Amino acid sequence: MEIKKVLSMYIGSQSLMKKYDQCLLDNGYTILELVDKASQCLLKHMNGEYFSLLCGPGNNGADGLSLAIKLNNLGKKVDVYIFEDQNHLSQANRYYLDLCYEYGIHVVLLNDDILDEVMDEISHSDIIVDAMFGFGLNSSPRGLYQSVIEEINQLYDQNIIAIDIPTGLDCNTGTPYQSVVCATQTITLSAMKNGFLNPDSISFTGEVILEILDVNDVFEEAGLYLLADDKVVAPMLKSRRFDGHKGDYGRVILIAGCQDYKGASLLSAKSAVYTGSGVTTVMTTQEVMDSLTVYCPEVTTQLRAPVLRKEDFEKYNAILIGCGLGLSIDSYRYVIDVFSLSHQPLVIDADALTILSSNLDLLKNQERDIILTPHMGEFKRLCDVDNNDDMLFVAKEFARKHQVVLVLKGPYTIVTDGQEAYRVFAGNKAMATGGMGDVLAGMITSLLGQGYAALNAAVLGVYIHGYAGDRIAEKHYTVIPSVLIERIPQSMNEIKKSNLEKITCVE
């Protein structure tokens, strides 16, 4: 992903970017002011003498028209191409188009009859600017727009700069519609578009540069996601105390494993130990207990009775249920018992998520932190969603409605409590192996038991998990969960040292 990052980078989907724009308007800015500020950001990237600007009817087109005026005022040669139907212009578009006429800028009304002539003109410019449509496009460009896109994509030697997002690229997914501009560079405004996190989108965006408008900060008000990279996450990781002992680092209990699924409980237990838990206990079957003694002797075990009791949870600081639990009648009872008999912070993963999906009322009136860690398939069982939905919006709404921290696992994992929201900038495709989620669940539970706030425990756990996987993937085709566990302490130490070095440099 070729993205030039800035400090505190935010990420927006189509609906969240619309909300961001509305927040700016609600804060007293006019649309004309915002277009002017946008074009000022764009101007610094216009290195050439002859510019062809293709402008659509909306505010993306208005950005292009305002940019044309600024370039003209600098003495550049500017040609503006607008589409013949001028009956549905936005307010800002009409205003800046009229100004273009007043300034005597060369404006061409495009139509099919003159397309060949126009393309010959455009081919001689230094830079072609795509200002046809912004992030609001929901389908493939048609008619004259499609023809123009296909023609400019044939100009292989031209520099094509897209304003905000290449026309024809899905803002949410980064996948192309039938026709999409192939830009050499995209200047995206205010926030990174969610689709740009899809590495395949680079074929259409080229280099992506983020420009922040000179406006009040309304990122959180609008609900945009913060990109959780090392600068954001590393300060969350606490130092170990000089005089600390195991009692200072939490007691966690994992209700996990069954005769058919031993491995999941072993991985989650060992990852909790390696993430720094003071005491890790696994409540499980005798077969799993026997395996744990060999696989991870640091773990204590407790035989799981058919019926759980309130006393089973009293001495623990955090609970994990689900890894390798199975879907037996007993498993359903264990999940219900955990909700009714315990009060500690709770992580729900794997089979427990499947059980929860048919019993969502269990989440009501839970006065404690609850973290859900589904992958997309599990989330679809929890929430009525399909692949075309705006997942950033859906994830936040789900977390808000059910008052949970949601860890929606996948590329650049989503973490949100319904108010704050993150996409975690760590992890890679080599980590797509069975058992990886069990490792993550154990890590998050460990951090929760050590006293981290639920949202921080989730973000930090996902980041450390991804960071360790990234280091391994530098030399390995696949990342094996058991190997990743071994890397956890080293990764935490590197992250902590990196943050301390940054603090020292600042001082």
Side-chain angles (χ1 to χ4, degrees):
M1 179 175 53
E2 190 71 22
I3 294 176
K4 290 190 174 180
K5 294 198 292 178
V6 297
L7 190 62
S8 298
M9 182 187 294
Y10 284 86
I11 299 168
S13 59
Q14 186 182 81
S15 62
L16 293 178
M17 292 310 304
K18 288 179 180 178
K19 188 175 180 182
Y20 175 83
D21 287 348
Q22 186 59 50
C23 284
L24 289 176
L25 296 173
D26 293 343
N27 275 263
Y29 294 100
T30 68
I31 188 62
L32 298 181
E33 287 178 291
L34 295 176
V35 168
D36 180 67
K37 291 178 181 293
S39 63
Q40 193 62 43
C41 289
L42 296 165
L43 185 63
K44 67 183 75 170
H45 301 284
M46 300 297 138
N47 301 311
E49 296 298 321
Y50 180 13
F51 296 85
S52 294
L53 295 97
L54 296 158
C55 300
N59 291 333
N60 191 259
D63 292 342
L65 294 169
S66 179
L67 175 62
I69 293 167
K70 287 181 168 64
L71 290 168
N72 180 73
N73 291 343
L74 291 174
K76 309 294 185 180
K77 183 177 180 181
V78 177
D79 291 333
V80 171
Y81 299 93
I82 60 174
F83 294 79
E84 194 171 32
D85 182 7
Q86 297 298 295
N87 296 320
H88 301 93
L89 301 182
S90 70
Q91 173 198 351
N93 195 291
R94 171 56 65 189
Y95 174 83
Y96 283 105
L97 179 58
D98 290 343
L99 276 184
C100 284
Y101 285 124
E102 286 184 26
Y103 279 100
I105 294 173
H106 183 227
V107 177
V108 177
L109 295 177
L110 279 170
N111 61 65
D112 289 317
D113 294 336
I114 62 170
L115 185 56
D116 290 342
E117 178 184 341
V118 164
M119 293 312 303
D120 182 62
E121 292 177 358
I122 289 175
S123 68
H124 292 91
S125 58
D126 297 324
I127 293 176
I128 301 169
V129 177
D130 168 22
M132 287 181 278
F133 289 102
F135 58 75
L137 194 65
N138 288 310
S139 61
S140 183
R142 297 181 177 87
L144 187 56
Y145 290 101
Q146 181 179 4
S147 299
V148 169
I149 290 171
E150 291 173 354
E151 289 289 339
I152 64 172
N153 282 344
Q154 298 300 313
L155 303 176
Y156 300 111
D157 296 329
Q158 295 297 112
N159 287 322
I160 302 173
I161 296 179
I163 295 178
D164 210 25
I165 185 170
T167 296
L169 191 67
D170 189 310
C171 176
N172 292 339
T173 66
T175 56
Y177 293 115
Q178 182 178 344
S179 297
V180 56
V181 170
C182 297
T184 52
Q185 190 177 70
T186 297
I187 314 299
T188 199
L189 302 169
S190 301
M192 196 60 59
K193 306 308 177 279
N194 189 61
F196 296 167
L197 297 182
N198 179 346
D200 294 336
S201 69
I202 195 172
S203 300
F204 310 102
T205 63
E207 178 190 32
V208 177
I209 298 174
L210 174 61
E211 281 287 347
I212 307 297
L213 272 61
D214 181 20
V215 293
N216 294 334
D217 183 348
V218 296
F219 292 115
E220 293 185 11
E221 180 184 347
L224 270 65
Y225 281 58
L226 184 62
L227 187 70
D229 59 6
D230 58 334
K231 295 187 290 294
V232 172
V233 178
M236 296 180 184
L237 185 57
K238 302 173 186 177
S239 296
R240 304 282 277 193
R241 288 174 47 185
F242 168 73
D243 59 347
H245 55 82
K246 66 181 180 182
D248 294 321
Y249 297 111
R251 296 175 178 268
V252 299
I253 184 167
L254 285 58
I255 304 168
C258 65
Q259 183 173 350
D260 295 330
Y261 304 109
K262 299 184 184 72
S265 55
L266 304 184
L267 291 170
S268 58
K270 191 169 184 177
S271 67
V273 171
Y274 277 50
T275 308
S277 286
V279 176
T280 300
T281 299
V282 180
M283 181 189 285
T284 188
T285 64
Q286 186 63 54
E287 295 87 351
V288 175
M289 290 170 59
D290 294 341
S291 299
L292 273 167
T293 302
V294 177
Y295 182 71
C296 188
E298 297 87 354
V299 172
T300 62
T301 58
Q302 180 178 339
L303 186 63
R304 194 166 63 221
V307 178
L308 302 183
R309 303 167 303 159
K310 191 172 184 178
E311 305 88 79
D312 290 329
F313 308 107
E314 287 180 350
K315 63 183 179 181
Y316 297 104
N317 304 106
I319 302 167
L320 166 64
I321 185 167
C323 300
L325 188 65
L327 296 174
S328 67
I329 295 298
D330 285 343
S331 298
Y332 276 77
R333 187 183 304 116
Y334 294 142
V335 171
I336 293 170
D337 285 348
V338 165
F339 274 98
S340 61
L341 299 176
S342 68
H343 63 272
Q344 291 87 346
L346 175 63
V347 178
I348 304 174
D349 186 55
D351 292 325
L353 288 169
T354 300
I355 294 168
L356 179 65
S357 66
S358 58
N359 299 272
L360 280 173
D361 284 348
L362 290 172
L363 294 172
K364 292 181 178 179
N365 304 316
Q366 289 286 315
E367 296 181 359
R368 55 165 154 191
D369 290 325
I370 297 178
I371 301 175
L372 309 185
T373 58
H375 54 61
M376 185 56 71
E378 291 166 332
F379 187 59
K380 287 179 179 179
R381 290 195 285 270
L382 290 165
C383 181
D384 185 16
V385 63
D386 64 46
N387 293 333
N388 294 321
D389 288 333
D390 183 338
M391 292 312 304
L392 299 195
F393 178 80
V394 170
K396 283 195 71 175
E397 283 301 296
F398 180 89
R400 181 194 59 77
K401 177 181 177 181
H402 296 287
Q403 297 184 316
V404 299
V405 172
L406 177 67
V407 177
L408 184 52
K409 297 180 292 193
Y412 304 106
T413 291
I414 290 172
V415 181
T416 178
D417 63 358
Q419 299 299 322
E420 295 183 55
Y422 299 85
R423 297 213 70 172
V424 181
F425 198 73
N428 58 82
K429 59 189 177 183
M431 297 169 66
T433 56
M436 199 61 76
D438 302 306
V439 173
L440 176 61
M443 294 173 70
I444 292 173
T445 305
S446 176
L447 294 166
L448 199 57
Q450 291 175 54
Y452 286 87
L455 187 63
N456 284 6
V459 172
L460 193 54
V462 173
Y463 183 79
I464 297 167
H465 184 255
Y467 177 97
D470 288 342
R471 302 291 83 75
I472 296 169
E474 289 172 358
K475 295 183 179 179
H476 298 271
Y477 182 76
T478 54
V479 178
I480 307 304
S482 56
V483 175
L484 188 146
I485 292 173
E486 301 287 341
R487 187 73 187 235
I488 292 172
Q490 179 182 345
S491 297
M492 295 177 76
N493 197 45
E494 289 171 1
I495 292 166
K496 191 63 190 173
K497 281 187 174 181
S498 172
N499 187 53
L500 290 174
E501 290 170 0
K502 290 173 187 172
I503 292 173
T504 303
C505 289
V506 170
E507 290 175 349

